[in-house]
């Protein structure tokens, strides 16, 4: 990995960019994944590169739903494996959820590279999606392949950084779909049941922490959180946040300012 000086004002952004490049070099991340990452970065600038209130609300509802689930599954793709391999395992373990490698540009080599990477962090971990035998209806062959013991059977799935078409197909299958997506206007963001508009590098550690906190909540309490949740409202909240922030910045001026709030 290219060494980035810690003193660089955009150290973390460059650090994760390098992680994505490294993910590609390891054979995990597709070229299109680089583009998707850049799109995410652009939206992160707009929200201010921090976890905003609507995302906190969505995370709480997502964790409640996952704790109530019978067969929760956390899906992993090439960008996720490059950015948050350890954090994904930690989240799945805290939730007692299955992990499934699920790729838009599926190749056996890429699946294997991702599974190998995850096993570096936990050699014992069960990884589904290596030999998927089922297909999501409405998607053509390779794009729709899922594991019988994983997404196929799941009631609640977390599909971060996912393509909109596949998100919609999962919703049509009757799955409860949770996504993490920095773009509140993407089809995934609009189609999912719960949309967490946050960078996955911030969202996953927070969700693991939340899971540990909420594990002792009663069923009724968890149900209350899920029932009181409105994804449309939360997406509007994200757009309001962006609009208000841009208005504030525009009025306060950004020219040669060191920090933006
Ligand atoms: P859609 O098909 O849903 O309309 P898209 O084609 O723009 O959207 P994809 O490339 O299919 O999206 O999926 C990647 C999504 O993940 C993008 O919306 C991008 O903003 C988002 N994304 C990229 N990096 C991150 C990240 N680190 N954290 C959260 N979201 C991210
Ligand atoms: Mg897409």
């Amino acid at each position: 990995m290219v060494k980035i000086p810690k003193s660089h004002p955009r150290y973390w952004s460059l650090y994760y960019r390098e992680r994505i490049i490294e993910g590609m070099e390891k054979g995990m991340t597709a070229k299109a994944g680089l583009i998707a990452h850049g799109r995410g970065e652009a939206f992160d600038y707009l929200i201010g590169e921090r976890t905003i209130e609507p995302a906190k609300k969505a995370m709480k509802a997502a964790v409640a739903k996952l704790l109530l689930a019978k067969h929760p599954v956390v899906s992993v793709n090439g960008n996720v494996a490059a950015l948050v391999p350890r954090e994904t395992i930690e989240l799945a373990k805290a939730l007692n959820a299955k992990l499934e490698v699920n790729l838009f540009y599926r190749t056996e080599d890429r699946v294997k590279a991702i599974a190998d990477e995850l096993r570096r962090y936990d050699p014992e971990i069960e990884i589904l999606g290596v030999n998927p035998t089922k297909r999501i209806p409405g998607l053509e062959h390779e794009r729709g392949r899922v594991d019988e013991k994983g997404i196929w059977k799941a009631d609640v799935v977390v599909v971060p950084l996912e393509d909109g078409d596949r998100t919609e197909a999962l919703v049509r299958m009757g799955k409860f779909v949770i996504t993490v997506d920095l773009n509140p206007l993407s089809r995934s963001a609009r189609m999912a049941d719960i949309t967490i508009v946050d960078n996955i590098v911030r969202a996953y550690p927070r969700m693991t922490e939340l899971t540990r906190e909420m594990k002792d909540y009663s069923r009724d309490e968890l149900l209350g959180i899920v029932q009181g949740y409105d994804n449309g409202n939360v997406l509007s909240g994200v757009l309001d946040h962006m609009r208000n922030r841009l208005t504030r910045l525009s009025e306060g001026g950004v020219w040669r300012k060191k920090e933006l709030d």
Side-chain angles (χ1 to χ4, degrees):
M1 197 158 121
V2 174
K3 189 115 183 79
I4 305 145
K6 269 247 156 93
S7 58
H8 192 288
R10 298 207 42 79
Y11 174 79
W12 287 110
S13 172
L14 296 175
Y15 169 80
Y16 285 112
R17 199 177 280 180
E18 283 301 321
R19 293 277 299 247
I20 285 283
I21 294 171
E22 204 179 56
M24 194 179 76
E25 286 165 358
K26 286 181 178 168
M28 303 193 295
T29 309
K31 279 188 200 147
L34 305 184
I35 298 166
H37 184 77
R39 191 158 47 244
E41 286 180 331
F43 280 97
D44 214 2
Y45 257 89
L46 295 179
I47 63 171
E49 296 178 311
R50 63 186 183 82
T51 302
I52 59 178
E53 280 311 312
K56 290 183 189 168
K57 224 187 253 179
M59 283 188 228
K60 188 158 186 189
V63 169
K65 185 72 190 180
L66 285 158
L67 286 171
L68 288 166
K70 279 204 182 70
H71 299 291
V73 172
V74 176
S75 153
V76 186
N77 66 20
N79 284 48
V80 174
L83 294 172
V84 283
R86 174 184 292 124
E87 293 81 355
T88 298
I89 293 172
E90 277 169 3
L91 177 63
K93 278 188 170 169
L95 287 166
N96 256 325
K98 301 252 184 240
L99 269 182
E100 175 163 346
V101 178
N102 184 251
L103 304 180
F104 187 85
Y105 298 102
R106 187 190 161 86
T107 67
E108 297 313 312
D109 286 349
R110 188 164 289 132
V111 173
K112 188 177 173 307
I114 293 172
D116 287 349
E117 175 75 2
L118 295 173
R119 284 200 196 94
R120 278 190 31 204
Y121 292 90
D122 182 348
E124 309 287 303
I125 193 93
E126 184 189 17
I127 299 164
L128 302 176
V130 180
N131 290 306
T133 54
K134 296 286 187 187
R135 265 185 56 204
I136 305 172
L139 294 181
E140 73 277 15
H141 195 67
E142 280 303 307
R143 270 199 324 134
R145 290 178 68 189
V146 286
D147 200 301
E148 186 166 8
K149 290 193 290 177
I151 291 176
W152 181 256
K153 165 170 144 182
D155 49 352
V156 183
V157 289
V158 186
V159 280
L161 285 54
E162 179 59 285
D163 166 67
D165 206 32
R166 295 211 304 172
T167 307
E168 191 178 8
L170 288 169
V171 170
R172 264 202 319 268
M173 259 177 106
K175 309 292 180 192
F176 190 99
V177 177
I178 297 164
T179 195
V180 180
D181 192 330
L182 276 162
N183 177 3
L185 300 174
S186 77
R187 289 194 73 235
S188 296
R190 291 180 286 121
M191 292 301 156
D193 293 291
I194 296 180
T195 307
I196 298 163
V197 181
D198 199 7
N199 197 316
I200 195 166
V201 307
R202 295 188 297 266
Y204 269 18
R206 187 184 276 266
M207 286 172 77
T208 302
E209 224 172 89
L210 255 183
T211 303
R212 291 180 184 141
E213 258 172 62
M214 290 168 64
K215 261 207 160 136
D216 300 326
Y217 283 23
S218 69
R219 235 189 112 70
D220 282 351
E221 215 169 336
L222 295 173
L223 276 172
I225 293 169
V226 175
Q227 277 157 9
Y229 181 80
D230 180 337
N231 206 44
N233 241 325
V234 161
L235 285 177
S236 296
V238 173
L239 296 175
D240 286 343
H241 167 86
M242 285 180 178
R243 182 190 52 204
N244 294 339
R245 180 167 182 265
L246 292 178
T247 302
R248 208 172 57 240
L249 289 175
S250 138
E251 287 167 356
V254 292
W255 172 246
R256 289 193 173 158
K257 234 189 197 169
K258 272 236 141 71
E259 303 289 337
L260 299 177
D261 57 348

